[in-house]
Amino acid sequence: MKKEPILYVVVPCYNEEEVLEETTKQLKVKMESLINKKEISAKSKVMYVNDGSKDKTWEIIKKINKKEKLFTGVTLSRNRGHQNALLGGLMTAKNYADIVISMDADLQDDINAMDEMIKKYKEGNEIVYGVRSARKKDTFFKRVTAEGFYKFMKFLGVDCVYNHADYRLTSKVVLDEFEKFKEVNLFLRGMFPLVGYKSDVVYYERNERFAGESKYPLKKMLNFAWDGITSFSVKPLRFICILGFVILFISIAIMLYSLIMKLIGQTIAGWTFLSISIWFIGGLQMISIGIIGEYVGKMYSETKARPRFIISENLEEKK
């Protein structure tokens, strides 16, 4: 049995001034409870990661850090997006911790699930995924699209834990290996299963957002889903190839039809069909070029190998 590991809870923050005080209050109670029960070491902390917020998020984090010894923080030099901010927090926290739990700042992730995560870690699991048991509080559209996304990822052959976002426990061993992954286009929930090691899941019900607005509107959700698909599967390219062969056979059939119409003197009758076919094939070509362009663009980003995050200030180093 593993005893009293040092736990760091990594919480990415972007314009979260409305929720930080309440998040701190609830996390403080949870961390003190775990320490008192000797589930985790007294050296454990919560690490807020400021993702270039435009409001007073970073000022609040520094204020909390001075007031509460259980809380620390880092800030990125500019806004890099949720996945890069989370990665920056994980790579920083692993230098101080035995295990790291990542969660969002909006209190939608059930912090009580941390107890079960730690228990499963002590049983020998190096990764413990927080999985939503139901989506009753989601709108019909969000529920259908989210569940459809996970099923589609599975269809594409991506090893992605169903209904898991970024609420997970990872050990330092896993994070040390994960650091070797150098992708610029990040989809962390699909990358961690690639590391391997023994893993398990903890089921929980997600809460309503405590305050503020969601940082993942429809546009960002669609971009995130597309990044996940194109970063982990080449099947869209194979679909294009298959579609090309299908269109080839259809074009042969159209050619035969056109020749027959020509021979019997009824070429005008096929004009509508021909014009529709031209527009249809033209649209498919544009879509195909676009998909190929997405992959070329990702390769362009990867070859530049620019840093995925830059930490401009680390409160942990100042103590």
Side-chain angles (χ1 to χ4, degrees):
M1 291 285 288
K2 301 175 181 178
K3 296 181 180 180
E4 296 188 37
I6 299 175
L7 166 67
Y8 268 56
V9 180
V10 171
V11 185
C13 304
Y14 178 67
N15 294 345
E16 299 287 5
E17 63 179 5
E18 295 182 61
V19 302
L20 270 179
E21 295 292 346
E22 181 63 25
T23 301
T24 300
K25 178 181 176 182
Q26 293 193 27
L27 283 175
K28 180 183 178 182
V29 173
K30 172 54 63 178
M31 294 293 283
E32 288 178 344
S33 172
L34 291 170
I35 291 172
N36 291 334
K37 291 189 293 185
K38 297 189 180 300
E39 293 294 330
I40 60 175
S41 169
K43 297 179 181 179
S44 301
K45 291 186 180 182
V46 174
M47 176 177 283
Y48 289 128
V49 183
N50 178 44
D51 184 22
S53 298
K54 298 177 182 179
D55 61 6
K56 297 180 180 179
T57 295
W58 182 235
E59 285 73 15
I60 295 173
I61 292 172
K62 289 192 288 185
K63 179 181 176 182
I64 293 170
N65 171 251
K66 291 180 180 179
K67 183 179 178 182
E68 305 286 353
K69 66 175 184 178
L70 282 173
F71 292 83
T72 185
V74 297
T75 185
L76 304 190
S77 59
R78 57 179 288 267
N79 176 252
R80 294 305 305 269
H82 178 271
Q83 296 291 279
N84 288 286
L86 178 53
L87 179 66
L90 293 174
M91 292 301 102
T92 304
K94 77 179 183 66
N95 297 320
Y96 313 106
D98 299 312
I99 54 175
V100 178
I101 292 178
S102 58
M103 63 180 297
D104 291 337
D106 54 19
L107 295 175
Q108 287 189 283
D109 296 321
D110 182 9
I111 62 175
N112 292 315
M114 291 167 57
D115 300 67
E116 187 66 18
M117 287 182 172
I118 295 168
K119 178 182 176 182
K120 288 186 178 292
Y121 165 73
K122 291 183 177 181
E123 291 173 354
N125 295 285
E126 301 293 342
I127 306 177
V128 183
Y129 300 100
V131 176
R132 295 179 66 167
S133 56
R135 287 184 172 268
K136 297 177 182 178
K137 296 178 181 178
D138 285 349
T139 62
F140 174 78
F141 176 77
K142 186 173 182 179
R143 181 170 64 253
V144 170
T145 53
E147 292 179 349
F149 168 72
Y150 286 107
K151 291 176 181 177
F152 186 61
M153 291 291 282
K154 185 176 181 180
F155 170 73
L156 293 177
V158 180
D159 185 12
C160 192
V161 179
Y162 186 73
N163 268 342
H164 163 69
D166 287 304
Y167 188 26
R168 74 179 73 84
L169 178 150
T170 46
S171 69
K172 178 177 172 58
V173 173
V174 170
L175 292 174
D176 284 338
E177 294 300 322
F178 192 79
E179 193 172 17
K180 299 175 183 178
F181 287 66
K182 301 301 181 181
E183 286 98 323
V184 173
N185 301 284
L186 297 175
F187 184 69
L188 298 180
R189 66 190 69 175
M191 293 171 67
F192 273 102
L194 298 177
V195 181
Y197 290 98
K198 186 178 179 182
S199 64
D200 205 340
V201 300
V202 168
Y203 293 95
Y204 71 98
E205 283 199 31
R206 211 156 191 244
N207 304 313
E208 295 284 351
R209 183 178 176 86
F210 175 75
E213 297 179 353
S214 171
K215 303 306 182 294
Y216 265 93
L218 180 60
K219 183 179 178 180
K220 281 191 175 182
M221 287 176 62
L222 291 174
N223 288 335
F224 184 60
W226 182 245
D227 281 341
I229 292 169
T230 53
S231 295
F232 282 86
S233 178
V234 296
K235 283 192 176 181
L237 296 176
R238 292 175 184 169
F239 291 153
I240 291 174
C241 184
I242 294 170
L243 188 61
F245 280 107
V246 171
I247 292 175
L248 174 63
F249 288 120
I250 292 174
S251 65
I252 293 173
I254 293 173
M255 180 184 68
L256 293 174
Y257 169 79
S258 300
L259 288 173
I260 293 172
M261 292 296 103
K262 177 70 174 177
L263 292 173
I264 64 177
Q266 295 184 8
T267 53
I268 299 300
W271 180 85
T272 302
F273 180 74
L274 184 61
S275 63
I276 292 174
S277 300
I278 291 172
W279 281 100
F280 178 70
I281 294 172
L284 287 178
Q285 287 176 332
M286 294 299 292
I287 292 172
S288 301
I289 292 171
I291 292 175
I292 294 171
E294 284 288 335
Y295 280 93
V296 173
K298 286 186 179 296
M299 287 189 288
Y300 174 64
S301 298
E302 296 292 345
T303 55
K304 287 187 291 187
R306 290 175 179 171
R308 294 168 291 184
F309 59 87
I310 297 174
I311 294 176
S312 61
E313 190 173 353
N314 183 354
L315 300 179
E316 195 71 356
E317 293 180 347
K318 293 186 175 183
K319 292 188 174 181

